[in-house]
Amino acid sequence: MGLKNNISGSSFDGVAVTDELGRLEFSNDSFFEIVGLPGEELIGKCFMEVIPEDMRDLLERWRQTGTDMPYETKIMARNGEEKNLYISCVRAEFDGTKKYMIIIKDISEQKKLESNLKESEARYRELFENADDTMYTLDGKGFFLTINNAGRKALGATMNEIIGSHASRWLTPDSMKVANERFMKHISGVSLDETAIYEIVCRNGEHKWAELRTRPIKEGAKIIGIHGIARDITEKKRLEEQLKESEAKYRDLFENADDPMFTLDPEGNFIELNDTGLNLLGCIKNEVIGSNISRWMTPESDVIARKAMKKRINGEQVDPPTILEMVSKNEEHRWVEVKSRILKDGNRIKGLHGIARDITEKRIMEQQLKEYHGKLQKSYEELKEADRLKTEFISNITHELLTPLTSIKGFVELLNDETIGKINDEQKKSLDIVLRNSDRLIQLIKELIDAAYFEQNKFKLKFGMVSINNIISRSLQDMHPQANEKKITIIQDIKSLPDIWADEEKIIQVLSNLLSNAIKFTPQNGIISVTAVDDTNHIKISITDTGIGIPPDKLSRIFDRFYQIDGSTSRKYGGMGIGLSICKSIIEGHYGSIWAESNGNGSTFNVTLPKLIKKKRRVREHNVKS
Ligand code: ADP
C-alpha cells in the first residue's frame, strides 16, 4: 500500500482511489470532508453510488470519455452545502491492477475570496470615480495613470488630457518642489501622515489650492507609483486669507487707535488693552492684563459699569454711551465715554469688547460752561430787574417832570402873549428863549416817556388808512425852520404813493426824528434829500444827508437805546440817543424795516413800510414770526 502511504493525511486535498469498477478502495479524511460522506465505513461500497449525484455524473462522463481533466466544478455536498471543487482524475495501474485516483480540491474559499475581491474592486472603482475628493495615481516618474471625475472637474480637463501628462503640468513650480520632496520621502520609507498643500494650475490657467494625502504604491519593496487624495481648499484658503487680512486690519486699528480699546473676559478682567488705553491708566501692559477693570475706576463707576455689562450679557438695551470715571496708576482721575459689545463663541459669552473716549477735557469744559451759564443767568436776571427798575423810574420821573414843565410853559406863553401884562422887546426875546428851551425840554421828556412805553410794551399804534404823501409833506413842513437856521437845502423826490395801513402820528414822529437828526449832524449849507418810491410790496422812504456820516461798525448799533456814536454828541448836538430806538420800534410795529447806510460823505436812513395789507393778516404773520 505504497500509494496509500503516499497520499494519506499528507494533503488537504481530497484523494480517493477506486478499483476498475468504481468501488472505493481508499479515501482520505479530506475527501470525505469535502464531499460530505460518512467516512471509512463506506469503503468497499460502490464509489459512484455514494458520492453526490452531480459529481457522479461528472466522473461517469470522464470515465467514458477520458477528457476534460482537470477542471473546476461546483457540487452540492451531501450535507447540502454548495462547494467549488477542482477535480482531477488519473488512471493508474498499481501492482498490475487498474485503479482510478480522484483528487479533489475544495476551492470554495478561494472562489469566495475571488468574488469578494471582484466586488470590492468594483466598489473601489465606483468609490474612486464618484468620490467628492480628487483621487489619482501617478507612476514612479510622476505621470498620471488614473484620475477620478472630481479630479478632472477640478482641473477642468478631460481624461485624455490628464492621463499620461506629468504632475508638473498641473502644479506651480513651488508646489512641484514640495511634491518631489514628498516622493523622495516615500522612497526613503518615511511615512507621510501629514497632508501637503499644493497650488494647482488648472487647464484654463486658474489657480486653486488643494490639500493632499499621498501614499506609495508598492510592488514588493519597490515603489512603483503614488496614490493621492486631494481636497479643494481654495475657498477655505481664500477665507483664511481674508480672515488674516481682517485680523491684521483689526490689530492695526486696535493698536493704533486714538481711543482706548480693550477686551475683557466675562468677569471683567482685561484680556487686551491698546497703547492709548495703557497711557490713560499710566501703566505698562503687564500691570493691566489680567487685572479686573474695577481696579481702575471709582466705586460709583464700577457700579455703573457692572450694571451696563450685566444688561449687555442679558441682551438688554444699554443706552450708549456709558460714562465712567477711571483712576490711573498715579491716582489721576479721567472721564471716559465707553461703547461696548459682547463677544460670543456660538452661544457662549467670551467677554466684552469696548472702545472708550477720553472726555475729561470736554467734561471740565461742560462743568465750567454750566457754572458760567449759571452766573450769566444770575447777572441777566439782575440786569433785567435793574433795567425794569430804571424804566419804571424813567416813566415815573418823566411824568413828574412834565407836569411842572407844562405849567411853566403855559405861564411863559401867557407872559409872552402879554395876556398878563405888557413886556418890552428885550423881555420878549428872553421869554422866546425860555419858551424854545421849555419846548425842547418837553420834547425830550416826551421821547423819554415814549422810550419807556415802548420798552414796557405799553405803546399802542392807532392804525388807519393814511396817505403817505401827506405824512411826508407834514414831516418836512415841521422841519423847514430848523433847516433854514443852518441854511440847509432840502431836495425832494417824492412819487405819488398809494395809501397805507399805518399810525399816521407815529410815522410822522419817525420821519421828523430822521430829518431832525439829518439836520443836526449836517454842517451849515449842507444838502438833505428825501426820496419816496413805490417798491413793489413796500413804500421806501430814504433821507440822505451830507453830514458827519456813520462808521460802518456802528450802523446797526445806533438803533440801540441810549446809544450815541460819540459820547460828547449829546453835549455838542443835544439828544439822548433814544430817537432811533423809538423809530425802530414804531417801524417794526408796522412790519416794516429801518436801516442806515453811510459812505463817509454823510448818511442815508431808509424806511420801508408794507403796502396795504389787511390788519388781520399782519397779526397772523407776526404770530408766525414770533
Ligand atoms: P440822538 O438823540 O443822540 O440823536 P438818536 O437815537 O436819534 O439819538 O441817534 C443816535 C446816534 O446816532 C446819534 O447820537 C448819532 O451819533 C448817530 N446819528 C443819528 N443820525 C445821524 C446822522 N444823520 N448822521 C450821523 N450820525 C447820526
Side-chain angles (χ1 to χ4, degrees), residues 436 480-488 524:
R436 245 197 346 266
H480 280 304
Q482 266 188 60
N484 290 342
E485 236 174 72
K486 289 178 85 175
K487 298 197 178 65
I488 287 171
Q524 295 261 339

Side-chain angles (χ1 to χ4, degrees), residues 447 513-514 517-522 545 547-550 558 560 563-566 569-570 574-581 602-603 605:
E447 272 185 20
N513 212 317
L514 296 179
N517 277 351
I519 296 165
K520 191 160 74 174
F521 296 107
T522 299
D545 61 50
I548 58 170
I550 302 161
I558 52 172
D560 293 345
Y563 185 81
Q564 293 182 314
I565 294 172
D566 180 353
T569 304
S570 46
M576 295 180 293
I578 49 175
L580 287 180
S581 74
S603 323
F605 281 79

